[in-house]
Amino acid sequence: MARIVKDPEIRRTEIIDIAEELFLKSGYNETAVSDIVKRVGVSQGTFYYYFKSKEDILNAIIERYIYDIKMGVKAIAAKDDINAIEKIMAFFDFLNNMDQGKEKLIDYFHEDQNVHLHARFEKNVPSNIIPPFCQMIEEGVQEDLFDTKYPEMAALSIIGTTFAISHWMYDKEDRAGSTKKIMSAIFDLIERILGAEPGIFMEYAMKTEGAK
Amino acid sequence: MARIVKDPEIRRTEIIDIAEELFLKSGYNETAVSDIVKRVGVSQGTFYYYFKSKEDILNAIIERYIYDIKMGVKAIAAKDDINAIEKIMAFFDFLNNMDQGKEKLIDYFHEDQNVHLHARFEKNVPSNIIPPFCQMIEEGVQEDLFDTKYPEMAALSIIGTTFAISHWMYDKEDRAGSTKKIMSAIFDLIERILGAEPGIFMEYAMKTEGAK
DNA sequence: GATGGACTGACTGACTGTCAGTCAATTTAT
DNA sequence: ATAAATTGACTGACAGTCAGTCAGTCCATC
């Protein structure tokens, strides 16, 4: 085949892009390295010139997600025109709306074939978002919006709660169920964990919705 | 090789036992089906007579853990000589002390080679323990020990929080750190989530420890 | 109550196809 | 000239298959 030399940075990104697309379409185990290189139009050897194993490219893909999330959260945490409650809500909004092309990332991740992606994702998210999230909580404590002695644990608890509930919802058939009740429950939990005034998150949510 | 016919139930258990041992020792990916059958002393064909794939036996192993947990939790939930707080504490005690031979299951699962087992485990635990756990919480609400409108969500939140914190702890080097502070934080979170009187879990914990 | 033949389903192990990963050779860029 | 990028045929390992074997059971017959 005609040999095409590209800037390594571009080649690497190219391979990651295709690998990500195929992993999401068919699953990690079901995608062969040979499928990836065929689509990219390079040899098997080139793949292993850039990645030391198939597992390695999975990590590269996850790292990219994590990087995006980290940047997004940092940006929210750094804002100075909104308070801690609004930041936390903006944070959830950001996570929910992160997408990958046309479909929501979160939907992809919950498909059964992607347990591999999903597990790795959830394993790496906390260490990256806990610090800025924790900062938001500490800010809220200083503003007297929250009341907790353990901001880091509260951050972990909220992230863990979110994961658990989102899995739970996806495993249940009647997912459409009653979104409102679930929202109320989640807000209630967050308020309790943070020691915020009961109902205050819902209040803010209504306000924002009204502004749209 | 000499052909030895056994009761299918026994053969199946035998294969699961060895597979579990090898998966925990060397990891799922690093254990070949051929390794398993060599140890059991049967042919490759026998393996596939009992399990439709390598993935399938992993499920069988997880199902066994889940079954044990389910039974343990049900037993605790059914007790009538202790109150809801004591039940919840007994439940955590039970989970923490579940072992597989000499090592604690939770320690095994956090070893890097066992991500596969671990992910599958955490995916399946909630749907099995939420119902009895939820029942304990409702009981606590009736006894006026807890105060929540969303017992199921509270159960999910506590499980999610527990997972998140345990991952967090295992990822940090300085794990030995300050167990007491972490215990206080976890109790604080549980009390908030359940709407229990602040400090009541710690109180019960001290009482139980004193009794020993 | 022994003999044997039909039958079942547990079990065998050599075989196949696939795939992750390697490497010596080759081309391109500086 | 040298280094960096690229090739693709090759290897070894492994999951999964399949045609066939054999232990044990059931039951008809003497």
Side-chain angles (χ1 to χ4, degrees), chain A residues 11-26:
Chain A
R11 200 18 63 90
R12 208 183 119 89
T13 307
E14 212 174 53
I15 299 173
I16 294 179
D17 286 343
I18 299 288
E20 181 184 1
E21 185 192 324
L22 295 181
F23 286 167
L24 287 174
K25 199 175 74 188
S26 321

Side-chain angles (χ1 to χ4, degrees), chain A residues 20-119:
Chain A
E20 181 184 1
E21 185 192 324
L22 295 181
F23 286 167
L24 287 174
K25 199 175 74 188
S26 321
Y28 175 79
N29 285 317
E30 291 67 32
T31 303
V33 171
S34 61
D35 295 335
I36 300 170
V37 300
K38 231 174 280 168
R39 266 287 307 275
V40 179
V42 294
S43 71
Q44 189 98 347
T46 300
F47 180 94
Y48 283 94
Y49 180 76
Y50 286 99
F51 304 96
K52 73 179 212 298
S53 67
K54 189 185 172 188
E55 198 77 9
D56 193 41
I57 200 173
L58 184 67
N59 285 330
I61 293 169
I62 298 297
E63 252 168 43
R64 218 161 58 167
Y65 291 141
I66 299 283
Y67 180 82
D68 290 349
I69 291 177
K70 216 169 164 176
M71 289 300 110
V73 176
K74 265 195 181 168
I76 293 169
K79 280 199 170 198
D80 59 359
D81 56 336
I82 56 176
N83 71 15
I85 291 175
E86 288 164 317
K87 281 184 188 180
I88 286 172
M89 297 190 67
F91 166 72
F92 280 106
D93 225 50
F94 172 76
L95 280 188
N96 267 320
N97 294 319
M98 253 197 80
D99 56 30
Q100 142 64 19
K102 42 186 189 295
E103 271 220 63
K104 294 249 171 76
L105 202 62
I106 203 165
D107 287 328
Y108 266 130
F109 274 180
H110 280 95
E111 279 166 32
D112 221 37
Q113 53 189 272
N114 296 326
V115 272
H116 220 102
L117 280 271
H118 195 191

Side-chain angles (χ1 to χ4, degrees), chain B:
Chain B
M1 206 201 268
R3 171 183 297 237
I4 299 161
V5 177
K6 292 194 181 174
D7 181 288
E9 207 57 42
I10 294 179
R11 206 8 72 85
R12 208 183 120 89
T13 307
E14 212 173 52
I15 299 173
I16 295 179
D17 285 342
I18 299 288
E20 181 184 1
E21 186 192 323
L22 295 180
F23 287 167
L24 286 174
K25 199 175 76 189
S26 323
Y28 175 79
N29 284 317
E30 291 66 32
T31 303
V33 172
S34 60
D35 296 334
I36 299 169
V37 298
K38 231 174 281 167
R39 266 287 307 273
V40 179
V42 293
S43 71
Q44 188 100 346
T46 301
F47 181 94
Y48 285 95
Y49 180 78
Y50 284 99
F51 304 97
K52 73 179 213 299
S53 66
K54 189 184 171 187
E55 198 77 7
D56 193 40
I57 200 173
L58 185 66
N59 285 329
I61 292 169
I62 297 297
E63 252 168 43
R64 220 162 54 166
Y65 291 142
I66 299 283
Y67 179 81
D68 290 348
I69 292 178
K70 222 170 164 173
M71 289 301 110
V73 176
K74 265 194 184 168
I76 293 170
K79 279 198 170 198
D80 59 359
D81 56 335
I82 55 176
N83 72 14
I85 292 175
E86 289 165 315
K87 280 184 188 179
I88 286 173
M89 296 188 68
F91 166 70
F92 280 107
D93 225 51
F94 172 75
L95 279 189
N96 267 317
N97 294 318
M98 259 197 77
D99 56 31
Q100 139 67 18
K102 42 185 190 292
E103 269 219 67
K104 294 232 175 98
L105 202 62
I106 203 167
D107 289 327
Y108 264 132
F109 275 177
H110 280 96
E111 278 165 32
D112 224 35
Q113 53 192 267
N114 295 326
V115 272
H116 220 100
L117 279 274
H118 194 191
R120 219 157 260 269
F121 181 72
E122 288 198 357
K123 189 173 156 51
N124 288 291
V125 161
S127 61
N128 284 282
I129 60 174
I130 292 300
F133 195 63
C134 191
Q135 193 191 314
M136 290 184 207
I137 295 174
E138 279 164 354
E139 198 183 306
V141 171
Q142 263 158 25
E143 290 170 5
D144 266 330
L145 289 166
F146 307 148
D147 176 26
T148 176
K149 281 200 296 185
Y150 314 100
E152 194 180 50
M153 292 287 148
L156 274 166
S157 178
I158 291 174
I159 302 293
T161 298
T162 309
F163 283 169
I165 291 177
S166 89
H167 291 171
W168 184 250
M169 298 316 301
Y170 268 89
D171 286 349
K172 290 206 146 188
E173 309 299 277
D174 60 339
R175 227 190 293 166
S178 45
T179 319
K180 262 184 203 161
K181 202 183 163 196
I182 290 153
M183 283 299 287
S184 307
I186 292 176
F187 282 148
D188 178 61
L189 281 168
I190 294 178
E191 284 155 8
R192 283 162 181 248
I193 291 166
L194 295 177
E197 189 191 318
I200 195 161
F201 272 79
M202 191 50 100
E203 227 170 80
Y204 270 88
M206 303 305 269
K207 208 191 295 176
T208 314
E209 213 173 303
K212 270 180 194 166

